[in-house]
Amino acid sequence: MFDPRVVRRDFPIFERDVHGKRLVYLDNAATSQKPRAVIDAVARYYCHTNANVHRGIHQLAAEATEQYEAAREKVRAFIHAPDAAGVVFTRNATEAINLVAYSWARKNLKPGDVILLTVAEHHSNLIPWQLVARETGARLRYIRLTEDGRLDLSDLDRLLEGVRLLAVAQASNVLGTVHPVETLARAAHAAGAKILVDGAQSVPHMPVDVQALDCDFFAFSGHKMLGPMGIGVLWARTELLEAMDPFLGGGEMIGIVGLESSTWREIPWKFEAGTPNVAGAIGLAAAIDYLQGLGMENVRRHEEELIAYAYRRLEEVPGIELYGPRDGRAGLIAFNLEGIHPHDVSQVLDQEGVAVRAGHHCCQPLMKELGVAATVRASFYVYNDTADADVLVEALQKTREFFGHVAR
């Protein structure tokens, strides 16, 4: 197991303070901080190797291409994908999901088909399917939640009738619930459906094996796992990618171009039109190296212990309501303080140096299910420790005192 206080020294941002207080960064579900190793890898590329990839024959172009493709191989190994050809670099998880919606769903779905989602999905795994349904005539259907925030799978066989695609997050960005993706994949395939997994909140926090999950599509972002912004990944079974049409046209995704028609390169480059985010891919590879240095099993165990401690401490705060299950969850907790708007809570916490997220977290349907307009969300990562949870609780106590006339 690693020491988060030692880990924190690798992140330059923690050398600064906020409002004269030590920075306690608990907004990791929105984006993580970057270790010096990632920052240096990106800077090194721009300082020493900057060139476009797959198109030049000079030394710099060869080195840039080698590093870009090495990053793809690193991603493949990290998620235990069988073939690097199934790893497509995108801008983020949102773009990866939209790629599947555009290139697979629009081609394969027809009126009457069903897309099965959950009411807990992030907008990025909801809106693309609403657009697909509107254009293809497919219908949307939803898995509801149990009272403690888990998926209600008591009637899964009926829910899967007529389903062609099940799209589900591996971990909820609000409830923290880790969903049983392997069970869902088996059921989806038995019903003749494909399954897409949104791994934006799981890949940074736990070991992921896309072959063990038995999913068909898997999407995640680099910036939530210590990597740069603007780089993400879609992994898909190669036979599906080969049958799909390009998402965008132009640049190095072409084979032969004529005035009336064109052909495409082989996968994965067929889906990487234009100049890719080479520095982002190299930075993502450096982030993977860093996380593997810590050990993903250790990352998961650290967060499980930390979130259990934070949950117990938060329960001590009078008037607090915690959302999601007590156990079997990722490293985040959403909550509300009775009588105090989440934005006001966030603002007071900020004055104490504590960075959290307040709002609907791009999950408006889930907020409706919970019967609230918004929540506060504290999300933890490898550089957080129990002292951070203590600071959060102390700051919440001050928030209650500050708004005491409201909370009574």
Side-chain angles (χ1 to χ4, degrees):
M1 182 67 86
F2 53 85
D3 183 342
R5 293 170 301 179
V6 174
V7 169
R8 199 150 53 220
R9 297 173 194 158
D10 293 334
F11 293 74
I13 201 166
F14 291 115
E15 296 171 4
R16 64 161 295 175
D17 58 28
V18 173
H19 303 304
K21 306 288 178 59
R22 178 176 75 85
L23 170 62
V24 175
Y25 187 78
L26 300 176
D27 195 17
N28 296 287
T31 195
S32 66
Q33 297 302 337
K34 320 305 175 194
R36 196 177 302 280
V38 169
I39 297 169
D40 288 349
V42 173
R44 199 159 46 243
Y45 164 74
Y46 280 123
C47 288
H48 302 290
T49 319
N50 182 50
N52 218 321
V53 294
H54 294 302
R55 60 191 73 185
I57 56 174
H58 54 81
Q59 180 69 23
L60 291 184
E63 292 178 6
T65 300
E66 182 179 358
Q67 291 178 34
Y68 182 68
E69 292 305 324
R72 193 189 312 275
E73 170 59 26
K74 191 145 291 183
V75 170
R76 182 209 65 75
F78 189 62
I79 59 173
H80 298 90
D83 191 334
V87 175
V88 179
F89 284 125
T90 61
R91 286 187 302 161
N92 42 51
T94 300
E95 184 174 277
I97 294 169
N98 274 273
L99 192 164
V100 178
Y102 185 91
S103 296
W104 181 85
R106 281 172 171 80
K107 185 175 182 178
N108 289 281
L109 299 188
K110 62 183 186 304
D113 288 341
V114 176
I115 303 169
L116 184 60
L117 308 164
T118 85
V119 295
E121 294 310 309
H122 189 277
H123 295 167
S124 294
N125 196 31
L126 175 61
I127 293 171
W129 309 117
Q130 292 176 345
L131 295 173
V132 165
R134 183 188 301 172
E135 293 181 19
T136 65
R139 293 178 291 128
L140 303 178
R141 187 181 293 158
Y142 292 91
I143 302 174
R144 315 298 291 201
L145 301 175
T146 60
E147 287 190 0
D148 67 349
R150 303 180 197 276
L151 297 184
D152 183 354
L153 303 180
S154 59
D155 199 19
L156 184 58
D157 289 342
R158 185 192 62 79
L159 288 171
L160 281 168
E161 290 177 2
V163 170
R164 295 290 309 284
L165 178 73
L166 166 58
V168 60
Q170 189 170 10
S172 166
N173 71 316
V174 175
L175 301 172
T177 316
V178 178
H179 301 312
V181 170
E182 294 178 53
T183 300
L184 291 169
R186 280 196 299 273
H189 290 152
K194 299 287 187 284
I195 177 170
L196 176 145
V197 178
D198 174 3
Q201 298 296 341
S202 60
V203 171
H205 305 285
M206 61 188 72
V208 167
D209 184 330
V210 294
Q211 295 183 83
L213 293 177
D214 197 24
C215 55
D216 299 291
F217 304 100
F218 194 96
F220 62 98
S221 292
H223 70 96
K224 296 183 180 183
M225 51 180 290
L226 310 182
M229 292 186 176
I231 188 71
V233 172
L234 169 69
W235 172 81
R237 296 185 188 279
T238 53
E239 65 270 25
L240 294 173
L241 288 177
E242 286 168 347
M244 289 160 54
D245 294 327
F247 179 38
L248 299 170
E252 285 300 299
M253 53 75 70
I254 56 93
I256 298 174
V257 177
L259 290 178
E260 302 298 332
S261 64
S262 302
T263 62
W264 324 126
R265 289 188 70 186
E266 62 272 29
I267 61 170
W269 305 293
K270 181 171 73 172
F271 296 101
E272 295 179 1
T275 296
N277 184 355
V278 181
I282 292 170
L284 176 58
I288 289 173
D289 285 341
Y290 189 91
L291 286 169
Q292 288 184 319
L294 298 177
M296 290 308 296
E297 290 286 357
N298 291 331
V299 171
R300 178 61 174 153
R301 190 161 67 249
H302 164 70
E303 290 188 16
E304 286 178 333
E305 293 175 0
L306 181 54
I307 208 70
Y309 177 85
Y311 200 98
R312 287 196 303 272
R313 289 298 328 274
L314 286 169
E315 284 183 310
E316 298 171 7
V317 179
I320 198 167
E321 183 172 4
L322 306 175
Y323 300 99
R326 188 183 185 90
D327 52 21
R329 60 187 303 149
L332 63 91
I333 303 174
F335 59 89
N336 272 320
L337 281 184
E338 182 182 8
I340 309 176
H341 194 281
H343 287 177
D344 292 332
V345 175
S346 176
Q347 192 166 3
V348 176
L349 293 182
D350 177 59
Q351 294 301 310
E352 298 299 319
V354 181
V356 296
R357 177 59 59 92
H360 54 63
H361 315 297
C362 297
C363 289
Q364 292 186 32
L366 176 57
M367 294 296 113
K368 189 174 181 180
E369 287 285 308
L370 298 175
V372 297
T375 73
V376 182
R377 182 184 67 191
S379 50
F380 299 80
Y381 208 15
V382 293
Y383 33 68
N384 296 121
D385 59 8
T386 55
D388 291 341
D390 291 339
V391 172
L392 170 64
V393 170
E394 290 165 10
L396 288 173
Q397 298 285 13
K398 290 183 180 178
T399 306
R400 277 182 47 78
E401 293 170 9
F402 184 82
F403 288 97
H405 66 288
V406 176
R408 280 194 294 270

